[in-house]
């Protein structure tokens, strides 16, 4: 192995280069020591400054001289022809035009990447095996103990608490009126009137919003029997778009531990439609696109966008 490493290397120049590196480090150290010590004690200020400048110049010249010597020796050391990890493909590194065709460096990078991928895949496999269900065909036929089925549970809140949350939200937005109905006992249905722009029917289970239907301000929201119509869509495409976006907002605002925050966030988002026909799109700057206003509202900034401009 030593013979392989010695091929193409000038050992004498290599030894001299090591000594040159040590000399360069010593000269650089002297430069910083002189800067650290500053001007030494002399009889006059002019004498101190002159002695400091002279010593500093001598140290810099020593650094320059040692650096030139190291550069000269580095050209005499040569290049070792060590054994390559990629076997015969390592001969590509001997290509004199490696800068133009860096095949060997790319192969080394791919080799390292594949090793790292294999290592992480092994770790992932071990972790997944620890979390496996460990089921087999034999266990399926046996009368082994099974985990009891978890019964679904719903968060049932007092109706008075729900009414208080809705009333507080109504006081937060003076330009939004909220009427609360309970057609089926405990479940609440909200009729939200936003200025003279739209009306929204919000169907709730306790404090969890189940669905939302948005219609125009002048559209009828009641069925023939006098109850709120929670199924029929709006006759206008713009409010149909707003209904679709409201359904998306219900999926975005999800925080089961704090349902009151979810309702308040959704109502804040719904209130951003107060100027549905007066706010231009934040991307294209137009009020109408294909005959429709910007019906999308960003969930975080509440900025208005057309349905095609938001992507």
């Amino acid at each position: 192995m030593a013979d392989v490493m010695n091929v193409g290397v000038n050992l004498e120049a290599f030894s001299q280069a090591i000594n040159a590196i040590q000399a360069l480090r010593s000269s650089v150290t002297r430069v910083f020591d002189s800067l650290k010590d500053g001007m030494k004690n002399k009889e006059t200020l002019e004498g101190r400054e002159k002695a400091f400048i002279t010593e500093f110049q001598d140290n810099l010249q020593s650094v320059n001289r040692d650096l030139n010597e190291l550069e000269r020796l580095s050209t005499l050391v040569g290049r070792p022809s060590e054994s390559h990890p990629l076997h015969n493909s390592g001969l590509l590194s001997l290509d004199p035009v490696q800068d133009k065709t860096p095949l060997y460096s790319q192969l080394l990078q791919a080799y390292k990447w594949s090793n790292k991928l294999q290592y992480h895949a092994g770790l992932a496999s071990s972790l997944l095996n620890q979390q496996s269900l460990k089921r087999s065909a034999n266990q399926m036929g046996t009368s082994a103990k099974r985990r009891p089925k978890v019964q679904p549970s719903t968060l049932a809140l007092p109706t008075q608490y729900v009414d208080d949350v809705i009333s507080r939200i109504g006081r937060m937005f003076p330009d939004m009126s909220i009427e609360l109905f309970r057609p089926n006992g405990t479940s609440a249905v909200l009729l939200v009137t936003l200025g003279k722009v739209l009306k929204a029917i919000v169907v709730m289970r306790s404090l969890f919003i189940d669905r939302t239907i948005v219609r125009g301000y002048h559209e009828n929201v009641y069925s023939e029997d006098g109850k709120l119509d929670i199924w029929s869509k709006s006759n206008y495409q713009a409010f149909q778009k707003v209904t679709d976006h409201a359904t998306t907002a219900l999926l975005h605002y999800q925080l089961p531990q704090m349902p009151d925050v979810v309702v308040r966030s959704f109502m804040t988002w719904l209130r951003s439609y107060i100027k549905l026909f007066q706010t231009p799109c934040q991307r294209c700057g137009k009020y109408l696109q294909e005959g429709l206003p910007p019906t999308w509202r960003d969930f975080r900034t509440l900025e208005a966008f057309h349905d095609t401009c938001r992507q």
Side-chain angles (χ1 to χ4, degrees):
M1 185 66 182
D3 295 335
V4 176
M5 294 296 296
N6 292 338
V7 175
V9 177
N10 189 345
L11 296 181
E12 184 179 358
F14 189 80
S15 177
Q16 294 178 1
I18 294 178
N19 295 332
I21 292 174
Q22 295 176 351
L24 179 61
R25 294 182 60 181
S26 300
S27 58
V28 171
T29 302
R30 288 195 296 271
V31 170
F32 286 103
D33 289 339
S34 63
L35 291 176
K36 180 187 65 175
D37 297 335
M39 293 181 294
K40 298 180 180 179
N41 296 328
K42 295 288 183 181
E43 295 180 359
T44 60
L45 177 62
E46 182 178 359
R48 291 198 299 267
E49 291 179 351
K50 186 176 181 180
F52 174 78
I53 293 175
T54 302
E55 182 182 1
F56 186 73
Q57 289 178 348
D58 293 338
N59 292 332
L60 288 180
Q61 290 177 359
S62 178
V63 171
N64 189 28
R65 181 173 60 255
D66 294 337
L67 181 60
N68 292 334
E69 179 65 16
L70 179 59
E71 291 177 351
R72 184 186 67 83
L73 293 174
S74 63
T75 59
L76 302 177
V77 171
R79 184 175 182 178
S81 57
E82 70 277 5
S83 58
H84 302 285
L86 298 183
H87 303 288
N88 293 336
S89 61
L91 299 176
L92 293 173
S93 62
L94 303 179
D95 191 353
V97 289
Q98 186 178 359
D99 296 338
K100 297 181 180 179
T101 56
L103 294 179
Y104 182 67
S105 58
Q106 294 176 359
L107 283 174
L108 283 179
Q109 185 177 2
Y111 180 74
K112 294 178 181 178
W113 181 85
S114 63
N115 284 341
K116 186 180 295 185
L117 177 63
Q118 184 178 5
Y119 171 72
H120 288 289
L123 292 179
S125 177
S126 62
L127 291 176
L128 291 176
N129 289 332
Q130 294 175 3
Q131 302 297 330
S132 63
L133 297 178
K134 298 182 180 179
R135 292 181 178 178
S136 62
N138 296 329
Q139 291 178 346
M140 295 297 293
T142 60
S143 59
K145 292 184 179 180
R146 294 185 178 180
R147 182 178 299 175
K149 185 177 180 180
V150 179
Q151 298 295 331
S153 60
T154 57
L155 180 60
L157 297 174
T159 56
Q160 184 62 36
Y161 176 75
V162 176
D163 295 346
D164 292 341
V165 172
I166 299 302
S167 62
R168 287 198 302 268
I169 294 176
R171 291 192 296 268
M172 289 174 57
F173 309 113
D175 49 1
M176 175 190 292
S177 65
I178 302 177
E179 301 179 48
L180 190 147
F181 301 88
R182 296 188 184 276
N184 298 323
T186 57
S187 298
V189 179
L190 306 181
L191 176 59
V192 182
T193 304
L194 186 59
K196 294 185 177 182
V197 179
L198 57 83
K199 293 182 180 180
I201 299 176
V202 182
V203 182
M204 305 182 65
R205 289 182 294 107
S206 187
L207 266 181
F208 295 93
I209 302 177
D210 195 14
R211 59 175 299 165
T212 302
I213 299 293
V214 179
R215 298 192 182 99
Y217 178 76
H218 296 289
E219 289 189 88
N220 186 21
V221 295
Y222 296 96
S223 58
E224 296 179 356
D225 56 358
K227 296 182 179 180
L228 286 175
D229 186 2
I230 64 174
W231 302 106
S232 301
K233 295 183 179 181
S234 174
N235 296 325
Y236 302 99
Q237 187 177 359
F239 296 108
Q240 293 178 8
K241 289 281 188 181
V242 177
T243 300
D244 295 338
H245 300 331
T247 303
T248 307
L250 294 180
L251 299 176
H252 176 77
Y253 297 112
Q254 288 291 334
L255 192 60
Q257 295 81 6
M258 304 177 67
D260 53 336
V261 177
V262 174
V263 177
R264 184 166 62 249
S265 301
F266 177 77
M267 292 299 178
T268 304
W269 176 85
L270 185 62
R271 182 185 173 274
S272 62
Y273 286 93
I274 188 67
K275 294 184 179 181
L276 174 62
F277 300 99
Q278 302 176 13
T279 305
C281 176
Q282 296 298 315
R283 175 161 297 182
C284 66
K286 297 180 181 179
Y287 289 89
L288 295 176
Q289 186 180 92
E290 299 179 356
L292 294 176
T295 57
W296 175 266
R297 295 296 184 272
D298 186 84
F299 297 135
R300 185 174 59 87
T301 62
L302 304 181
E303 294 179 341
F305 295 93
H306 288 113
D307 197 17
T308 56
C309 293
R310 67 185 177 91
Q311 300 176 356

